[in-house]
């Protein structure tokens, strides 16, 4: 048994040399630690004599963003690795391939995606991804349907639920999304200019009721095996390819949490555009593109999910007329509520999004923050009553008109 310790870049190279493939005996290996997240070391190993490369990801026993005072279980590395393997089985080519792992060292060796770009960065740079909605819709439909009681043997699902209990990571989500933004908390992080918005979050009891209901659903509703951190910083893209990474928060939870996370991050980028484009026509075009993407992501997901229901359903009672429509309606409403909660926490909580934080003009940045909170609150407060994605986009538009420039 290997004793756990965080690897140095040189140790990562030595490990890479011992792996069967991808490197030859005469490989001249170089290593850079490229992790920019809060929880892991990420080593990029390249052979200077060829174009071959790999990624070695190692979990740390604490959150880098805080330090050793915030301990975390290393079991999440095993969970992440198994999730990647399961997602690869369900959606080949849509997650990095796992080459090797060492659970004692809490590390996984996987495919290098350097020919892709993190979607958040690509969007900030102004790039477009016309196939993204189709790809992510398929990914979510397949991974959620086939790990639920709809598409998986119920007893096998219960056994799988036991393997993917992930209390440390769930605790982070429970606190950062469904608790701390709505009270005075040490982890909250926001600019003084929006103190009035933060105070409003703490005193809005109607909002708190909806958050309490969403929190209950997150705590108790083990519908399917979630990625559980499915934002544009956890997705690599090109114009023709989409690959999902970093499923270390994975657990059995409500399907709408994954779908809502994707929509929330597209909307967060949408509200940042006024701080990025001075030309009105260019900004309008980009804003329309983002809202179309929100519509298309839900539409693609719903279409593919219903198709799987028609072709691969194994639960006989779920064939009852009317049941599918009620199920999808509730999934949609959950999606919208979780999307709103995700947006709020990214403005006042511990970890923000670069889409908004990198707006250099303080006034424009504040404007985008206020727009994000207005949209987020509207989605949260109306989630139990919406029926169509068109209604949601109308809510977004209406919320934005309440924010003064």
């Amino acid at each position: 048994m290997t004793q756990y310790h965080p690897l140095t870049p040189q140790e990562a190279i030595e490990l890479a040399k011992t792996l069967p493939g991808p490197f030859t005996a005469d490989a001249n290996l170089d290593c850079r630690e490229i992790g920019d997240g809060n929880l892991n070391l990420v080593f990029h190993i390249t052979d200077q004599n060829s174009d071959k490369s790999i990624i070695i990801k190692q979990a740390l026993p604490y959150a880098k963003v805080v330090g050793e005072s915030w301990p975390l279980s290393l079991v999440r590395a095993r969970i992440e690795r198994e999730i990647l393997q399961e997602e690869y089985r369900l959606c080949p080519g849509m997650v990095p391939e796992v080459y090797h792992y060492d659970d004692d060292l809490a590390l996984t060796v996987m495919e290098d995606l350097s020919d892709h770009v993190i979607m958040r960065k690509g969007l900030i740079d102004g790039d477009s991804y016309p196939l993204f909605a189709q790809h992510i819709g398929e990914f979510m439909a397949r991974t959620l349907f086939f790990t639920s009681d709809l598409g998986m043997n119920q007893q096998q699902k219960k056994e799988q639920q036991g393997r993917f209990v992930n209390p440390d990571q769930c605790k982070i989500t429970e606190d950062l999304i469904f608790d701390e933004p709505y009270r005075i908390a040490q982890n909250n992080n926001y600019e003084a200019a929006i103190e009035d918005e933060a105070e409003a979050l703490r005193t809005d009891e109607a909002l708190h009721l909806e958050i309490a209901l969403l929190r209950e659903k997150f705590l108790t509703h083990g519908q399917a095996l979630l990625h559980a951190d499915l934002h544009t910083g956890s997705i690599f893209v090109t114009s023709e390819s989409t690959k999902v990474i970093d499923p270390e928060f994975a657990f059995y939870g409500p399907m709408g949490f994954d779908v809502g996370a994707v929509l929330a991050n597209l909307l967060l980028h949408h509200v940042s555009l006024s701080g990025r484009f001075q030309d009105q026509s260019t900004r309008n075009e980009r804003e329309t593109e983002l809202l179309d993407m929100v519509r298309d992501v839900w539409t693609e997901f719903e279409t593919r999910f219903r198709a799987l229901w028609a072709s691969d359903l194994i639960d006989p009672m779920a064939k009852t007329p009317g049941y599918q429509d009620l199920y999808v309606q509730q999934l949609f409403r959950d999606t919208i509520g979780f999307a709103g909660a995700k947006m709020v926490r990214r403005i006042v909580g511990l970890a923000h999004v670069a889409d908004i934080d990198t707006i250099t003009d303080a006034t424009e940045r504040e404007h985008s923050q206020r727009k994000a909170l207005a949209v987020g609150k509207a989605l949260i407060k109306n989630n139990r009553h919406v029926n169509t994605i068109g209604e949601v986009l109308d809510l977004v538009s209406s919320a934005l008109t309440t924010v003064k420039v």
Side-chain angles (χ1 to χ4, degrees):
M1 178 175 175
T2 306
Q3 184 175 4
Y4 175 87
H5 65 280
L7 295 183
T8 65
Q10 186 56 44
E11 287 174 321
I13 287 176
E14 295 304 317
L15 171 64
K17 289 179 178 178
T18 69
L19 300 176
F23 303 122
T24 60
D26 63 347
N28 178 19
L29 300 185
D30 179 64
C31 175
R32 292 186 302 126
E33 203 284 302
I34 60 172
D36 60 357
N38 296 319
L39 308 176
N40 309 287
L41 297 172
V42 181
F43 299 101
H44 185 217
I45 313 289
T46 55
D47 178 10
Q48 303 301 295
N49 298 333
S50 72
D51 60 354
K52 294 181 179 178
S53 58
I54 59 171
I55 293 292
I56 299 178
K57 181 175 181 179
Q58 183 181 35
L60 289 169
Y62 54 85
K64 281 196 298 185
V65 69
V66 175
E68 295 185 16
S69 64
W70 188 340
L72 293 172
S73 170
L74 294 173
V75 171
R76 72 182 194 277
R78 188 270 302 169
I79 289 176
E80 177 176 11
R81 182 258 305 171
E82 290 189 2
I83 294 294
L84 284 173
Q85 292 171 318
E86 176 73 355
E87 290 174 344
Y88 194 90
R89 181 183 70 82
L90 293 171
C91 298
M94 294 197 68
V95 297
E97 184 176 0
V98 172
Y99 299 142
H100 174 79
Y101 61 90
D102 186 322
D103 288 340
D104 293 330
L105 284 173
L107 65 80
T108 303
V109 182
M110 66 186 87
E111 177 185 359
D112 177 24
L113 301 178
S114 293
D115 56 339
H116 289 58
V117 65
I118 290 289
M119 186 174 183
R120 191 182 308 286
K121 180 181 184 302
L123 290 174
I124 290 171
D125 289 344
D127 295 332
S128 298
Y129 302 103
L131 299 180
F132 172 72
Q134 175 184 326
H135 291 166
I136 203 68
E138 178 180 5
F139 175 84
M140 293 189 298
R142 292 186 63 81
T143 58
L144 296 175
F145 183 89
F146 284 117
T147 60
S148 77
D149 291 312
L150 301 170
M152 182 180 189
N153 176 274
Q154 285 90 1
Q155 281 61 53
Q156 290 178 354
K157 180 201 164 192
K158 291 176 177 65
E159 293 175 358
Q160 184 155 283
Q161 280 180 288
R163 287 212 320 279
F164 295 118
V165 174
N166 202 354
D168 282 358
Q169 306 304 97
C170 285
K171 173 65 172 169
I172 293 173
T173 301
E174 291 152 18
D175 289 348
L176 295 188
I177 299 179
F178 302 110
D179 179 9
E180 291 172 350
Y182 306 97
R183 61 181 176 85
I184 295 174
Q186 183 177 358
N187 284 329
N188 286 342
N189 176 28
Y190 54 86
E191 297 184 40
I194 60 167
E195 176 61 44
D196 61 316
E197 295 278 11
E199 173 65 18
L201 291 174
R202 296 193 289 265
T203 57
D204 190 336
E205 291 189 351
L207 187 67
H208 294 181
L209 173 60
E210 299 302 329
I211 288 294
L213 292 169
L214 291 165
R215 178 180 169 88
E216 178 196 18
K217 193 154 284 190
F218 184 85
L219 290 169
T220 65
H221 204 38
Q223 269 185 318
L225 185 55
L226 307 185
H227 179 285
D229 198 26
L230 192 56
H231 54 77
T232 51
S234 295
I235 300 171
F236 270 106
V237 287
T238 69
S239 60
E240 298 179 347
S241 172
T242 302
K243 291 181 184 280
V244 175
I245 64 168
D246 290 352
E248 63 193 298
F249 280 75
F251 81 113
Y252 263 84
M255 295 182 185
F257 190 76
D258 268 4
V259 189
V262 175
L263 300 190
N265 279 264
L266 296 176
L267 288 170
L268 284 165
H269 186 72
H270 174 268
V271 300
S272 78
L273 294 172
S274 59
R276 298 191 170 280
F277 293 96
Q278 291 187 345
D279 180 73
Q280 185 70 42
S281 63
T282 303
R283 185 172 78 218
N284 290 346
E285 182 179 336
R286 186 70 167 171
E287 287 177 341
T288 299
E289 180 182 340
L290 264 293
L291 292 180
D292 286 346
M293 191 180 292
V294 168
R295 183 193 304 275
D296 292 346
V297 166
W298 170 258
T299 302
E300 290 282 352
F301 167 75
E302 179 183 5
T303 300
R304 292 164 190 273
F305 190 84
R306 287 183 183 272
L308 291 173
W309 194 304
S311 62
D312 291 273
L313 183 70
I314 66 168
D315 184 349
M317 291 305 293
K319 298 177 182 178
T320 304
Y323 181 69
Q324 182 189 124
D325 287 341
L326 290 171
Y327 191 106
V328 174
Q329 180 189 62
Q330 187 58 58
L331 198 170
F332 176 68
R333 290 173 172 174
D334 292 348
T335 291
I336 300 313
F338 287 128
K342 285 274 195 177
M343 293 185 73
V344 168
R345 85 91 166 178
R346 287 292 194 177
I347 303 303
V348 300
L350 179 65
H352 296 180
V353 291
D355 313 61
I356 292 175
D357 274 11
T358 57
I359 297 172
T360 55
D361 183 275
T363 301
E364 290 291 354
R365 187 169 62 250
E366 177 189 342
H367 189 212
S368 291
Q369 291 166 350
R370 291 180 182 275
K371 288 196 294 183
L373 291 173
V375 172
K377 289 189 292 184
L379 299 185
I380 293 167
K381 287 185 172 182
N382 291 280
N383 80 91
R384 290 187 290 138
H385 310 292
V386 292
N387 291 301
T388 69
I389 193 65
E391 291 176 29
V392 171
L393 295 180
D394 288 343
L395 275 176
V396 171
S397 177
S398 178
L400 292 175
T401 64
T402 68
V403 182
K404 297 179 180 179
V405 177

